[in-house]
Amino acid sequence: MADLLTLDNFFTFLMLTVLQAVLGFDNLLYISIESKRVAIDKQAMVRKVGIGLAIVLRLVLLFAIMSAISYFQTPFVSFHVTGIVEGDVNVHALIVLLGGVFIMYTAFKEIMHMLSIDDLEGHASGKSLRSVGKAIFWIVAMNLIFSFDSILSAMALTNVFWVMAAAVVVSGIGMIFLADTVSNFLQKNRMYEVLGLFVLFIVGIMLISEGGHLAHLSFFGFHIEPMAKSTFYFVLAVLVVVDIVQGRYQKKLIAQRNAEMNNTNA
């Protein structure tokens, strides 16, 4: 036990905690959006229970990956049609690919729902509400999918299980507190919910590109390359800036139109 309490392990723990927090942003966004699909009085509980269960399962996943890393990386399906399509699919790649497809589907469906006339009345009708159990299930499932990258990144920094486990727990507790803040912000600023859904859509694209790269997929000789995290955050920054500028410009146009109407009435 004394060997674990070293300065090196302590700094590694701090690095892993920050890493978990940075990589967990897209996960936090999904949790906030998913929790809005249950009754209002149960949303906070769904976020806390979902993240709490996900922390436990993350620890199980961490132990499983450390114990059977070769199984997750060993291809179980290979296909090679020269010049058309090639690939070597492993468990890790398959999970990431399916997660990306599901997130893109979820984001697209929510965007279409927001554009529908029925959504103008909000969720009062209860037609789009999801059960608590189902919402928690998807929060936990997507949390585990997002966990793969952070866990594999953590294993590149240390092989001490308890250091990685402590970082997972601390970052998970942080997510429990931040989830309510993010959700409340989106609830009070519904225009940013649109931005959040498009960011989630890009997250799905990022996961698909990463899964395709892990599966060594290529189509017509072109290999799928993963979207870099730096590219994702750059796109996110651009979307935020565009949204802010558009919002301020819209307010300016409204103020100008009101001023013209007042001058006309005068």
Side-chain angles (χ1 to χ4, degrees):
M1 183 67 181
D3 294 336
L4 298 177
L5 303 177
T6 63
L7 190 61
D8 180 60
N9 284 337
F10 176 73
F11 281 113
T12 302
F13 162 74
L14 293 179
M15 290 176 61
L16 289 179
T17 302
V18 173
L19 178 66
Q20 293 278 338
V22 172
L23 295 178
F25 170 78
D26 40 16
N27 189 10
L28 193 60
L29 181 61
Y30 176 83
I31 291 171
S32 300
I33 293 175
E34 180 65 30
S35 65
K36 290 185 63 179
R37 303 182 68 180
V38 302
I40 296 178
D41 60 329
K42 292 181 171 57
Q43 290 178 6
M45 181 270 290
V46 164
R47 289 190 291 268
K48 290 180 173 60
V49 173
I51 297 174
L53 289 175
I55 293 174
V56 176
L57 293 179
R58 269 194 181 197
L59 296 177
V60 175
L61 180 63
L62 172 62
F63 180 78
I65 292 179
M66 290 187 68
S67 303
I69 183 66
S70 60
Y71 173 73
F72 286 97
Q73 305 301 332
T74 302
F76 64 88
V77 173
S78 297
F79 46 89
H80 301 275
V81 181
T82 306
I84 300 179
V85 59
E86 299 182 26
D88 299 295
V89 182
N90 55 40
V91 174
H92 182 192
L94 181 62
I95 292 176
V96 174
L97 279 169
L98 293 178
V101 171
F102 178 78
I103 286 179
M104 287 185 65
Y105 166 74
T106 299
F108 180 77
K109 186 173 67 172
E110 287 298 314
I111 291 171
M112 291 298 99
H113 176 69
M114 291 180 68
L115 292 177
S116 67
I117 298 177
D118 293 338
D119 188 60
L120 295 177
E121 299 300 326
H123 298 293
S125 62
K127 294 181 180 179
S128 61
L129 292 182
R130 173 171 286 180
S131 68
V132 170
K134 192 173 183 180
I136 291 176
F137 169 79
W138 283 117
I139 287 176
V140 172
M142 298 312 299
N143 195 294
L144 292 180
I145 291 173
F146 283 117
S147 297
F148 264 93
D149 279 348
S150 58
I151 288 176
L152 292 175
S153 300
M155 291 177 64
L157 296 177
T158 181
N159 58 358
V160 181
F161 174 80
W162 293 110
V163 173
M164 290 185 280
V168 167
V169 172
V170 171
S171 62
I173 293 174
M175 287 180 63
I176 290 177
F177 287 102
L178 288 176
D180 286 346
T181 301
V182 172
S183 183
N184 290 336
F185 176 81
L186 292 177
Q187 187 69 33
K188 295 176 181 178
N189 303 271
R190 292 203 66 187
M191 288 300 296
Y192 286 102
E193 187 177 355
V194 179
L195 174 63
L197 288 171
F198 275 100
V199 171
L200 205 60
F201 192 85
I202 296 175
V203 169
I205 296 175
M206 180 177 65
L207 286 177
I208 290 177
S209 68
E210 182 179 347
H213 177 71
L214 291 170
H216 305 290
L217 290 179
S218 65
F219 297 93
F220 302 102
F222 295 96
H223 294 276
I224 295 181
E225 299 295 335
M227 180 189 292
K229 279 287 185 179
S230 57
T231 302
F232 169 72
Y233 287 121
F234 176 76
V235 173
L236 174 61
V238 171
L239 286 176
V240 171
V241 170
V242 170
D243 193 72
I244 292 174
V245 172
Q246 183 179 13
R248 291 185 176 181
Y249 185 61
Q250 186 176 15
K251 290 180 180 179
K252 178 182 177 181
L253 291 178
I254 293 175
Q256 182 178 353
R257 188 178 299 112
N258 291 336
E260 292 175 352
M261 292 178 61
N262 291 333
N263 292 334
T264 302
N265 294 332

